Amino acid sequence: MTRPADTSADVIIVGAGLAGLVAAAELGDRGKSVILVDQEPAHFIGGQAHWSLGGLFMIDTPEQRRMGIRDCTDLARRDWFGSAQFDRAEDHWPQRWARAYLDFASAEMRAWLSGLGMRWFPVVGWAERGGGSAEGHGNSVPRFHVTWGTGPGVVAPFAERVRAHAEAGLIQLRFRHQVSHIITQGGRIQGVSGEILAPDEAPQGARTSRHEIGEFEIYAPSVLVASGGIGGNLEAVRRNWPTERLGPAPKTMVAGVPFHVDGRMIPITEAAGGHVINADRMWHYTEGLRNWDPIWPNHGIRILPGPSSMWFDAKGDRLPAPYLPGFDTLGTLREILKTGHDYSWFILSQKIIEKEFALSGSEQNPDLSSGRWREVLRARLLSRGKAPAPVEAFKKHGADFVVADTLSELVKGMNEIGDVALEETHLRRQIEARDAQADNPFAKDAQLIAIHAARRYLGDRLIRTAKPHRILDRANGPLIAVRLNILTRKTLGGFQTDLEGQLIGADGRAIPGLFAAGEVAGFGGGGYHGYNALEGSFLGGCLFTGRQAGRSRAIA
């Protein structure tokens, strides 16, 4: 193995995902010399953010106001803190980060991003509608702003700035460099060392080799870790699983993020003095599909559901309110795991799937990723009785879908792919009871009431919520059942940091020269979400923490 000559810089950034790119761009703007290292190839730039839908949590925006949404910082703060439920002594810095992000998201954030060329789909999404309490979890109003161009559209302006700084000689980009050690001496950060990995032309997001062809050491007085979470490492997810709060970890899960989101830098950074808090706080989805055309191992895709699909547990019992599609992610996860099984079912009609189903991810939304209105109209409003093409492809090819003309045929298909035999009479009774509520605007069924409420919002009525109808009426198209898997996604806890991204050790003291941003820092302070996320706050947290660290006065 070869060991390249020592190289000096002001800052070393570990991780070329969104948080690392934002920090590098900001540091380059300040004239700082930066070496950006990542274990993956150059075409993986952007990390998880590349694969995202590009949703951002913003407050009181022109997009909201045009849709008739009245939002303000005070309402958003009530929603955030009601969802976070901070209750630990170590939540001091997470709370400070949460307040700082809310101020940012209601003021400077949109103008800053708009100045970089970013634009947003005019219909603001209403994610995580909550558990039914005004003081508890959930968004009181729609706040999910989907970026034109989706995840790649969020990454692009920062990747372009980094490349411009690289051409100017301020930033060096070193891909296939795997950090294994943060070098310290006398309690101060000196740099990083690790292995040079063999070139790999695997498609973006796919698993790459770990074949080592050399070693490296790089020196700098500051190191910024922006290496992401653990969602691609199912062993680490299970090791940190909050059993007392959510129940036993699922035996079977699908991975909602690439294999390289492995948490490798967490113990390496701990060895340098970093202090992880809230490791048991995590965010996983209940509407996961096994990808019929996978990119990474065990590749899962999440359904972003509208409110109309009927939700049943593995035994065929309908989930009670507030465990409705799109309302309370972790509450629903806990309810599902109470059954002793790790999957559940949607039952719906063709009319529901064509209007309400969307799939998370840039590659599953080519119309939004294109940034072209014509493509959006063609895919979502001129589809002639079909769902968007990626959804129809899953319906045709996906191992978790059953399509049938009658309930008897549907139940037969469900029993072929489920672990628990379902009884048609039991399902029919529940569906018919729901259908009897669908004929007028009055209802006692909590889900029908929620559907009527959703349709009072113009955005939902236009593109996200089907008109109430009888699911078993053949005029509404074939019946569809979807087996839903638990899908891993985000680490809510992480390294404790101050408001400039500097790591705070277990003794409460700042660690000179060591910084963290993005998911590895719990999106701010070691977990600025608390126990629950309001969506759009993952990319938002990467943007904000990367910006704060990149502008830090403490970076040499």
Side-chain angles (χ1 to χ4, degrees), residues 60-71 75 122-124 126 140-142 456-459:
D60 192 24
T61 63
E63 289 77 18
Q64 287 176 302
R65 293 191 289 272
R66 281 194 290 267
M67 296 301 297
I69 301 163
R70 299 174 63 183
D71 199 9
L75 182 61
V123 177
V124 183
W126 195 356
S140 299
V141 299
R456 288 198 292 271
Y457 168 46
L458 179 61

Side-chain angles (χ1 to χ4, degrees), residues 231-454:
N233 183 342
L234 269 59
E235 180 182 342
V237 170
R238 292 191 177 96
R239 188 164 58 245
N240 291 286
W241 190 270
T243 302
E244 291 185 3
R245 193 167 72 252
L246 295 180
K251 295 179 181 178
T252 302
M253 295 182 280
V254 292
V257 294
F259 175 79
H260 61 75
V261 187
D262 56 8
R264 189 175 185 278
M265 281 301 301
I266 294 173
I268 293 169
T269 308
E270 285 181 305
H275 179 48
V276 172
I277 60 174
N278 301 317
D280 63 319
R281 293 178 181 170
M282 51 184 66
W283 192 255
H284 306 304
Y285 292 109
T286 52
E287 312 98 334
L289 304 173
R290 291 169 286 176
N291 196 343
W292 66 273
D293 187 19
I295 297 171
W296 54 79
N298 195 29
H299 189 172
I301 293 292
R302 183 199 174 200
I303 297 171
L304 300 173
S308 301
S309 298
M310 294 189 72
W311 207 335
F312 297 88
D313 66 24
K315 297 180 288 186
D317 295 324
R318 189 181 181 190
L319 298 188
Y323 309 123
L324 307 173
F327 277 73
D328 183 354
T329 292
L330 292 191
T332 305
L333 175 58
R334 183 173 58 250
E335 188 72 14
I336 290 169
L337 294 179
K338 279 168 53 177
T339 67
H341 301 279
D342 49 23
Y343 71 95
S344 59
W345 295 98
F346 275 168
I347 293 181
L348 59 149
S349 67
Q350 178 65 27
K351 280 191 175 180
I352 292 173
I353 199 172
E354 70 187 50
K355 191 159 189 177
E356 297 196 5
F357 266 36
L359 301 173
S360 181
S362 56
E363 83 284 11
Q364 300 296 336
N365 293 274
D367 54 336
L368 292 169
S369 295
S370 75
R372 298 175 182 174
W373 261 114
R374 180 177 62 185
E375 297 301 321
V376 174
L377 293 173
R378 180 183 300 164
R380 298 174 191 266
L381 298 180
L382 302 175
S383 56
R384 298 181 180 180
K386 292 185 177 181
V391 176
E392 289 290 340
F394 263 88
K395 193 178 80 172
K396 180 178 180 181
H397 302 293
D400 296 307
F401 278 77
V402 180
V403 182
D405 290 326
T406 68
L407 185 60
S408 296
E409 295 169 335
L410 190 77
V411 173
K412 180 180 178 181
M414 293 168 73
N415 285 337
E416 290 175 357
I417 65 173
D419 300 332
V420 180
L422 301 172
E423 296 181 1
E424 179 188 343
T425 54
H426 183 53
L427 285 173
R428 183 180 296 277
R429 176 183 59 78
Q430 295 173 88
I431 300 171
E432 287 180 344
R434 177 263 181 211
D435 279 0
Q437 297 274 304
D439 292 339
N440 60 66
F442 306 100
K444 65 179 181 180
D445 182 272
Q447 186 171 14
L448 267 295
I449 293 170
I451 292 168
H452 291 308

Side-chain angles (χ1 to χ4, degrees), residues 88-256:
R88 297 173 177 173
E90 57 263 39
D91 284 333
H92 167 73
W93 284 110
Q95 290 190 64
R96 292 192 63 181
W97 273 95
R99 292 189 179 94
Y101 177 75
L102 289 165
D103 290 338
F104 175 65
S106 62
E108 195 175 355
M109 180 177 181
R110 187 186 181 282
W112 175 56
L113 297 175
S114 179
L116 295 173
M118 289 172 59
R119 300 292 182 267
W120 296 275
F121 188 62
V123 177
V124 183
W126 195 356
E128 283 300 297
R129 305 184 190 203
S133 167
E135 295 182 310
H137 171 56
N139 282 299
S140 299
V141 299
R143 297 191 177 104
F144 191 76
H145 297 71
V146 176
T147 307
W148 276 118
T150 62
V154 177
V155 170
F158 300 101
E160 290 169 6
R161 287 169 66 195
V162 167
R163 292 188 182 107
H165 287 311
E167 291 177 5
L170 280 171
I171 295 179
Q172 298 178 47
L173 302 173
R174 301 193 182 183
F175 295 97
R176 299 299 280 163
H177 279 55
Q178 175 181 268
V179 173
S180 292
H181 183 61
I182 296 175
I183 303 168
T184 62
Q185 186 175 10
R188 297 195 64 85
I189 301 300
Q190 299 293 316
V192 301
S193 64
E195 300 75 42
I196 301 172
L197 303 178
D200 197 311
E201 298 302 320
Q204 185 171 9
R207 183 172 183 171
T208 57
S209 81
R210 294 293 179 262
H211 177 58
E212 300 172 10
I213 59 173
E215 297 177 340
F216 69 91
E217 289 181 358
I218 308 172
Y219 294 94
S222 294
V223 171
L224 169 61
V225 179
S227 55
I230 63 173
N233 183 342
L234 269 59
E235 180 182 342
V237 170
R238 292 191 177 96
R239 188 164 58 245
N240 291 286
W241 190 270
T243 302
E244 291 185 3
R245 193 167 72 252
L246 295 180
K251 295 179 181 178
T252 302
M253 295 182 280
V254 292

Side-chain angles (χ1 to χ4, degrees), residues 79-91:
D79 287 348
W80 190 291
F81 278 77
S83 299
Q85 301 169 24
F86 294 118
D87 61 359
R88 297 173 177 173
E90 57 263 39
D91 284 333

